[in-house]
Amino acid sequence: MSGVCCFFSACCILNLTKYDRGEKFRLYRNLPTLREYVMIDSQRIRAEVFRKSDSSFWVLASEANSIEGSITLESIGLTLSMRALYADTEDLLD
């Protein structure tokens, strides 16, 4: 599967969240090989993984809202801890 996009990550900035969840996500969902779409909030500890099911429906498959949490990317066999993901991030909002 060389050269095939199976997941995409978007770092969400407060003012762009509606776009990332709406129009951008709609555009990416049309990619036939895309299996996962990851949204990572740049201002709060929050990440979501949307996964395409076998019946081609997109579902929220993994999410984390605290530093102790983690998200799982099945398409590449990876679990990311929020602590590692936000390790060098400054000025997070509560």
Side-chain angles (χ1 to χ4, degrees):
M1 266 182 126
S2 180
V4 175
C5 180
C6 59
F7 88 97
F8 178 80
S9 178
C11 186
C12 303
I13 300 169
L14 189 60
N15 294 337
L16 298 177
T17 301
K18 285 184 181 179
Y19 175 71
D20 289 329
R21 290 181 174 282
E23 184 65 15
K24 185 191 288 187
F25 188 26
R26 186 189 65 76
L27 293 170
Y28 282 115
R29 286 191 314 245
N30 291 324
L31 296 172
T33 59
L34 186 67
R35 298 289 173 246
E36 292 183 310
Y37 183 78
V38 181
M39 293 184 60
I40 301 167
D41 195 314
S42 65
Q43 297 181 320
R44 289 182 172 81
I45 296 175
R46 178 162 181 76
E48 301 172 328
V49 179
F50 292 90
R51 190 170 299 128
K52 190 175 187 178
S53 69
D54 292 337
S55 55
S56 296
F57 290 103
W58 286 89
V59 296
L60 178 61
S62 183
E63 68 178 322
N65 301 310
S66 71
I67 200 71
E68 293 83 21
S70 63
I71 57 172
T72 301
L73 307 172
E74 285 185 0
S75 62
I76 58 173
L78 178 68
T79 296
L80 286 171
S81 75
M82 298 302 276
R83 189 171 305 283
L85 195 57
Y86 285 92
D88 295 320
T89 305
E90 297 177 1
D91 301 324
L92 290 172
L93 301 173
D94 291 331

